[in-house]
Amino acid sequence: MDASYPGSSDVRSEPLQVNRALVWFVLLGGATAWTLHLLLAYAVAEFGCLSGMGETQVGGLTLVAWMLLGVSVLAAGIAGVAIVVSLRFHRRLRAAEVGGEGERATAFSVRLGLISNVVFAGVIIVQTIPIFYYLREC
Amino acid sequence: MAPVAPERRADFERLWGTPPGWWGVLVAVNSQRLGIRFMATASAFFAIGGALALLLRIQLTVPDNTFMGPQLYNELFTMHGSTMMYLFAVPFIEGLALYLLPFMIGSRDVAYPRLTAFSYWTCLFGGLVFYASFLTGDVPDAGWFAYTPLSGPAYSGRGLDFWVMGLALVEIAGIGAAVEIVITLLKLRAPGMSIRRMPLFAWTVLVAGVMMIFAFTVLLVATALLELDRAAGTRFFEPAFGGSSLLWQHLFWFFGHPEVYIMFLPATGVISMIISTSAQRPLAAYSLVVMAVMLTGFVSFGLWMHHMYVTGLPELGLSFFTAASLMIGVASGIQIFAWIATLWGTRPQFTTHFLYVLGFFFIFVLGGFTGVMIAVAPFNWQVHDTFFIVAHFHYVLIGGVVFPLFAGAHYWWPKITGRLLGETLGRWSFWLTFVGFNLTFFPMHIMGLLGLPRRVYRYPASLQLEGYNIAATIGGFTMAVGFVVMVWNCWRSVRDGASAGKNPWQSGSLEWSTESPPPQFGFLQPPVVHHREPLWGTKSTVSDPAAERASAALAAAPTDWRATLGTDTITGRVVAIHVLAGLSPAPFFAAIGLLVAFLGVLLKSYLLLPLGLIFATGCFVRWMYPVPEFVRILRESDVPERAGVPANVTGVQSTAWCGLLTFLIIGATAFGALFYAYFYLRLFSDVWPQGNIPLPDWLAGGLVYAPLLLSAGTIRLATFGFACESRGLLKVGLAATALLWVAYLGLVTHHLFNQTFNLQVNAYASAFHVISMAVMLFVLGALVLWSAASVRVLRAEFRSDFYVLLPLQLGALLGYFVAAAGAAVYGVLYLSPHLL
């Protein structure tokens, strides 16, 4: 859904068109990626190790380790996309002369999203590090 | 703001007021009244829980004490923990939030005033059920966490039923209050209060509210499964029948750890508000603090397993949770540095509330240090179940929650009562509490490191811990004296305290713009916000004519229906006038119905269960059904036209639609918890289905669930018929949907009764039956709503307004959900056993 902010007397005559779904993705993309990472990593570690997949080796690594690395790459990828999108959005909003409160609120959401996406990407990386200690076992 | 004629104000007071006497108590829906009740009730439970703690301290003062026996000790520490966690901290925070938020965000009340009333009554009844156990002598004795199998039917008596039933009522109250808080914050903020102008207390309560919706739902599912094990003979937590005791721990701590942050985050919101006022400047790094709050909310759900480090989980799994546990310290650190930066270079007044803030800093930082220590698995293994853990969580919970709440109570007391508290008595109460607290709990770190286990009613003299324990007991009583001084201070303030005026602390947030105490309607004219600290900022040069027009139209108006402005979630642009519900006894009686149903389970008088639920459902219907005369008044009102925005919008802008969506998120979470239980049990079973139960027939199951899937199409037909004003299509869609759901209910009932196993055979059978019945419950609810919507839609013309279109939208939303739930359950129960 596109939204503009006709209620405010902006500096510019034409309000900036903003895709609301994109704003929500920017705001929550990194957090969603982290949630996905934690839940999938937990499921793979708990269910994979107990079901014996930790004993199956492929290319020198356990199946569980491969799956965990895959999950981590997926989650980090989503967080990365969220960072890129929020960065581009942030630059776009900065380039446009943001005037009304509606646009400033959007700019704030984007800035908030940018910071939190970077932090969540960091959390995903921190949580991935222990996997490298368990590449050949559970 | 133009002056309002006195007679208009009198009309307004009559419209928004609460009648005096007992009837007024029962029908009150005003968030101020109910917020105060929540806080008063929670404080009473705090006093009782504190008294229990003193009894425990007396027992532990000297070695080999015979003051009480092991059973009584178990009962008292169970009730102490349960009271503080379920009946004090969360209800108090809910009360504070419900009281303050409307003023803070410039709304006249909360989104669903009757839900607030219902939440209060269920919370009160839950607490009474907990304590009714003392009357029968069956006091809960399995700890506030109620680990199975200790809490299962084999090892505990009726006391645990009191615990489960009381807790379930409190959880329902908590979920209700959380929905209330979240939707109010998303929908009812004042015009101009965009997402970047929300007060930090509102941010923290918003995040905590979202967390409560997820965490409390999982606990509700867990307690329901536990009670089914106890009362109906299911086997979820019985290893001998394929169940798992650890399943309870997973479900419980998925709630239990976020619960700590559900209490802590609003407490940090209180601290942020007070520090900003004390420093007389806006909080530093607002964006970073908001991000830290969100980060804490999310990551707290990833820590549940750090309560289970000693349960033999795979080390690989533990490593993730250690990493997540350490990361949450980063978020807390950001907030603490922001507070320090705000105070840097200022000269704050050392008022009582500020002293409590400083006390929070000292105690919480120490609790945080030990938190980082026990997040590390090897250290955790050493101190698990010792007094070190008792010391840690009391430093976190009392330092991180109780001290900020006391700070908040002192800070907002003048607003709530219109009177100032005595500073001298305030300082006495602070120092007694602060010194007493540290004297009580600091020695427990040492006792824990020396090996004193927790939850043990006595210890031998040979451990040489008497000195530490005597100090702890003296500290406990000192703290109690501090609390008594605080109560005395409050009493004196109410009797003859100095008048507070509107804004005694020169604060910048909106709640201080109202009278003290505020009128029940909050704002005679809805404010328009131009600044993050509205009372400090100058009016923006950028005008917002739409907001000004809407605000002017609602100045002491309307006087025959309760109205407040609704705004866009992100931008704060005014979009609607929301009609708020008025006085009603229905919430009280609905809570009574629920209480009767739960008492039926408790007393094993199972007829009371359906009777109570039917009565409660009737009350819900009465509560939500609009009075025709009221609809006419609303349709004829000229206020929306003058305001330039519609009243009672439909779809995503309506609070009803958002409320139902939140309810469906709760439903999805409940199904998620059930599916987790199913797959967890499957993981630990050599064969699945367990025992001699054959693989489920996917074709027969498909026939049973097909009507649910087909109903998604007929719902679409009905909404399409309404949109293109085709009465024929509409009728076919409405009738076909209802018939398909009735067919599903008949088919699934027949299917379950004709299985070769009942729900008591083993854990698989329990999961199969309970998950199937959960879908049936949702379909039953959808059928009731769809029928009511059908009657309303068929009676009316094709009007796209709140009273015609919205019921259809709500019915459709719920209908799509049950179709999706049916598909998911079919996949889990009938397909996954063939694949996994």
Side-chain angles (χ1 to χ4, degrees):
Chain A
M1 187 188 359
D2 285 345
S4 59
Y5 314 103
S8 306
S9 311
D10 295 343
V11 176
R12 282 171 291 99
S13 55
E14 287 185 16
L16 189 68
Q17 295 298 309
V18 175
N19 186 316
R20 297 295 296 274
L22 209 59
V23 175
W24 283 107
F25 175 70
V26 163
L27 202 53
L28 298 173
T32 309
W34 171 81
T35 308
L36 195 70
H37 181 250
L38 184 91
L39 293 178
L40 287 178
Y42 160 67
V44 170
E46 173 99 16
F47 291 65
C49 287
L50 289 173
S51 64
M53 281 194 274
E55 288 150 23
T56 310
Q57 303 261 336
V58 179
L61 305 182
T62 64
L63 208 53
V64 172
W66 277 117
M67 289 165 73
L68 284 173
L69 290 174
V71 164
S72 297
V73 169
L74 174 72
I78 296 172
V81 170
I83 291 171
V84 171
V85 171
S86 46
L87 202 58
R88 291 182 63 170
F89 212 153
H90 183 60
R91 283 181 184 155
R92 196 181 132 209
L93 283 167
R94 256 207 332 209
E97 292 168 30
V98 170
E101 180 51 28
E103 290 171 2
R104 288 182 185 181
T106 306
F108 170 79
S109 311
V110 171
R111 193 166 63 246
L112 195 64
L114 178 61
I115 301 167
S116 65
N117 289 335
V118 170
V119 173
F120 276 111
V123 180
I124 291 168
I125 292 166
V126 169
Q127 289 191 166
T128 304
I129 291 170
I131 296 169
F132 292 98
Y133 291 93
Y134 297 94
L135 291 174
R136 289 171 190 79
E137 56 190 309
C138 273
Chain B
M1 193 182 293
V4 174
E7 63 272 20
R8 299 275 290 175
R9 184 183 166 111
D11 287 344
F12 226 48
E13 280 170 352
R14 202 162 31 250
L15 173 69
W16 290 84
T18 306
W22 281 105
W23 183 244
V25 171
L26 295 186
V27 300
V29 295
N30 180 270
S31 64
Q32 290 173 45
R33 291 283 176 101
L34 292 160
I36 289 173
R37 273 193 223 167
F38 260 114
M39 288 189 277
T41 306
S43 300
F45 281 122
F46 178 74
I48 297 169
L52 297 180
L54 290 180
L55 293 174
L56 296 171
R57 277 312 325 156
I58 291 171
Q59 167 64 18
L60 293 173
T61 307
V62 292
D64 299 314
N65 200 353
T66 55
F67 177 68
M68 66 177 78
Q71 178 58 30
L72 183 59
Y73 187 86
N74 288 348
E75 292 170 358
L76 294 192
F77 82 66
T78 297
M79 290 303 288
H80 165 70
S82 301
T83 301
M84 293 308 196
M85 295 299 280
Y86 306 126
L87 302 179
F88 161 63
V90 173
F92 192 94
I93 289 165
E94 288 165 356
L96 189 66
L98 288 167
Y99 185 93
L100 287 175
L101 284 180
F103 303 125
M104 220 176 241
I105 63 170
S107 172
R108 283 177 173 157
D109 206 327
V110 289
Y112 318 107
R114 291 179 184 173
L115 182 62
T116 310
F118 174 73
S119 296
Y120 172 72
W121 290 116
T122 43
C123 180
L124 176 67
F125 294 157
L128 294 178
V129 169
F130 264 112
Y131 275 91
S133 61
F134 280 100
L135 299 176
T136 64
D138 298 310
V139 185
D141 58 356
W144 77 277
F145 37 80
Y147 283 165
T148 55
L150 189 61
S151 58
Y155 299 102
S156 59
R158 199 165 54 168
L160 252 294
D161 294 321
F162 278 104
W163 187 88
V164 172
M165 291 296 118
L167 181 55
L169 285 167
V170 173
E171 288 158 5
I172 291 169
I175 292 170
V179 172
E180 184 79 271
I181 287 166
V182 169
I183 302 299
T184 299
L185 281 171
L186 294 182
K187 290 283 171 193
L188 300 193
R189 299 199 308 269
M193 186 175 278
S194 66
I195 196 170
R196 74 187 189 106
R197 288 177 177 163
M198 267 172 66
L200 273 162
F201 180 72
W203 266 110
T204 57
V205 173
L206 174 65
V207 173
V210 173
M211 292 169 68
M212 282 163 75
I213 286 170
F214 289 105
F216 279 35
T217 304
V218 173
L219 182 64
L220 193 59
V221 170
T223 47
L225 298 185
L226 179 60
E227 189 55 32
L228 282 169
D229 266 20
R230 297 178 56 80
T234 57
R235 310 291 187 183
F236 288 101
F237 306 116
E238 283 196 58
F241 292 88
S244 168
S245 293
L246 276 187
L247 173 61
W248 169 261
Q249 288 201 35
H250 278 292
L251 293 173
F252 181 83
W253 288 117
F254 189 81
F255 147 81
H257 197 83
E259 161 85 340
V260 174
Y261 291 93
I262 286 166
M263 296 184 285
F264 172 63
L265 283 179
T268 64
V270 171
I271 297 292
S272 293
M273 301 300 285
I274 294 177
I275 283 186
S276 175
T277 297
S278 300
Q280 288 290 296
R281 59 160 70 152
L283 195 82
Y286 175 87
S287 307
L288 279 176
V289 173
V290 172
M291 188 277 298
V293 170
M294 286 171 56
L295 181 73
T296 307
F298 269 91
V299 176
S300 69
F301 279 98
L303 310 185
W304 84 90
M305 218 188 267
H306 85 203
H307 296 266
M308 300 171 63
Y309 279 162
V310 296
T311 55
L313 299 169
E315 287 182 23
L316 178 53
L318 295 188
S319 64
F320 297 124
F321 291 91
T322 296
S325 303
L326 294 173
M327 282 307 297
I328 208 157
V330 175
S332 300
I334 289 172
Q335 291 206 70
I336 288 173
F337 282 113
W339 293 326
I340 292 171
T342 308
L343 287 171
W344 197 264
T346 64
R347 289 178 175 275
Q349 276 194 326
F350 284 74
T351 49
T352 305
H353 57 256
F354 191 67
L355 285 177
Y356 274 106
V357 169
L358 295 181
F360 154 81
F361 270 125
F362 181 83
I363 297 171
F364 177 71
V365 168
L366 281 178
F369 280 152
T370 53
V372 174
M373 290 162 75
I374 58 174
V376 180
F379 183 82
N380 188 299
W381 293 332
Q382 298 301 313
V383 296
H384 190 85
D385 271 348
T386 69
F387 261 74
F388 189 89
I389 302 294
V390 179
H392 159 70
F393 71 69
H394 279 92
Y395 263 77
V396 170
L397 290 177
I398 295 184
V401 179
V402 177
F403 270 64
L405 289 183
F406 283 179
H410 281 82
Y411 179 68
W412 280 297
W413 179 269
K415 177 54 57 187
I416 295 170
T417 64
R419 308 268 182 179
L420 290 171
L421 282 164
E423 275 299 309
T424 308
L425 280 176
R427 283 164 206 272
W428 270 102
S429 75
F430 167 76
W431 283 110
L432 284 166
T433 309
F434 181 77
V435 171
F437 170 81
N438 285 291
L439 192 58
T440 309
F441 293 104
F442 192 80
M444 290 186 191
H445 291 108
I446 302 164
M447 289 192 274
L449 289 173
L450 292 174
L452 182 65
R454 61 194 284 212
R455 304 181 196 128
V456 175
Y457 85 109
R458 64 181 177 183
Y459 54 93
S462 58
L463 285 178
Q464 297 182 320
L465 296 175
E466 193 173 352
Y468 296 116
N469 272 305
I470 289 172
T473 303
I474 292 171
F477 277 91
T478 309
M479 206 167 22
V481 174
F483 296 152
V484 171
V485 173
M486 187 192 296
V487 173
W488 171 242
N489 196 8
C490 294
W491 176 250
R492 279 193 50 177
S493 165
V494 170
R495 281 180 65 89
D496 51 13
S499 177
K502 270 189 176 180
N503 191 0
W505 316 121
Q506 311 305 318
S507 305
S509 48
L510 207 51
E511 76 273 22
W512 298 101
S513 67
T514 62
E515 299 150 40
S516 303
Q520 291 197 40
F521 47 81
F523 298 91
L524 209 52
Q525 177 171 351
V528 178
V529 173
H530 298 276
H531 200 272
R532 191 176 290 152
E533 286 80 21
L535 304 192
W536 289 346
T538 50
K539 190 172 176 180
S540 171
T541 51
V542 181
S543 66
D544 189 344
E548 301 290 352
R549 178 183 169 186
S551 167
L554 260 73
T559 52
D560 44 5
W561 47 283
R562 298 184 181 202
T564 196
L565 288 175
T567 49
D568 180 76
T569 300
I570 289 182
T571 62
R573 183 169 51 92
V574 63
V575 291
I577 297 172
H578 291 297
V579 182
L580 301 180
L583 304 168
S584 171
F588 170 74
F589 287 112
I592 288 280
L594 215 53
L595 176 67
V596 169
F598 282 30
L599 285 178
V601 178
L602 181 63
L603 302 170
K604 306 210 184 302
S605 303
Y606 292 112
L607 185 62
L608 289 176
L609 177 65
L611 287 179
L613 289 179
I614 290 168
F615 181 72
T617 308
C619 293
F620 287 132
V621 171
R622 181 69 194 87
W623 154 356
M624 292 178 201
Y625 199 81
V627 179
E629 175 63 10
F630 181 74
V631 177
R632 188 189 59 76
I633 290 172
L634 193 70
R635 279 180 176 153
E636 291 171 0
S637 173
D638 66 339
V639 173
E641 194 183 334
R642 284 194 285 117
V645 284
N648 265 346
V649 282
T650 57
V652 69
Q653 291 294 358
S654 90
T655 51
W657 195 90
C658 291
L660 182 63
L661 183 68
T662 315
F663 174 73
L664 298 184
I665 291 171
I666 292 166
T669 308
F671 277 111
L674 287 172
F675 293 163
Y676 173 83
Y678 178 90
F679 287 113
Y680 189 87
L681 295 169
R682 194 264 165 273
L683 175 70
F684 289 97
S685 291
D686 295 331
V687 288
W688 193 260
Q690 295 164 334
N692 297 320
I693 297 174
L695 276 168
D697 183 345
W698 61 268
L699 189 59
L703 288 174
V704 169
Y705 281 87
L708 275 191
L709 301 183
L710 288 174
S711 70
T714 55
I715 291 167
R716 183 75 193 97
L717 189 67
T719 52
F720 178 73
F722 186 88
C724 64
E725 300 193 2
S726 162
R727 189 163 276 274
L729 281 181
L730 178 66
K731 277 183 177 174
V732 171
L734 291 172
T737 304
L739 286 174
L740 283 169
W741 288 345
V742 171
Y744 161 77
L745 289 171
L747 284 170
V748 78
T749 307
H750 177 264
H751 184 66
L752 290 178
F753 272 109
N754 281 284
Q755 293 294 333
T756 55
F757 53 90
N758 64 25
L759 48 70
Q760 298 175 330
V761 173
N762 54 39
Y764 167 81
S766 302
F768 184 90
H769 281 274
V770 168
I771 292 174
S772 301
M773 285 189 270
V775 185
M776 289 172 72
L777 272 180
F778 272 88
V779 174
L780 216 53
L783 195 58
V784 172
L785 181 60
W786 189 257
S787 305
S790 300
V791 171
R792 185 160 284 275
V793 170
L794 290 174
R795 272 188 185 171
E797 297 299 313
F798 289 99
R799 297 178 71 147
S800 295
D801 77 359
F802 184 82
Y803 295 103
V804 181
L805 175 59
L806 189 69
L808 185 63
Q809 288 178 333
L810 299 182
L813 186 61
L814 185 52
Y816 287 132
F817 176 81
V818 294
V825 167
Y826 173 68
V828 169
L829 294 186
Y830 292 91
L831 299 182
S832 77
H834 294 276
L835 303 172
L836 300 171

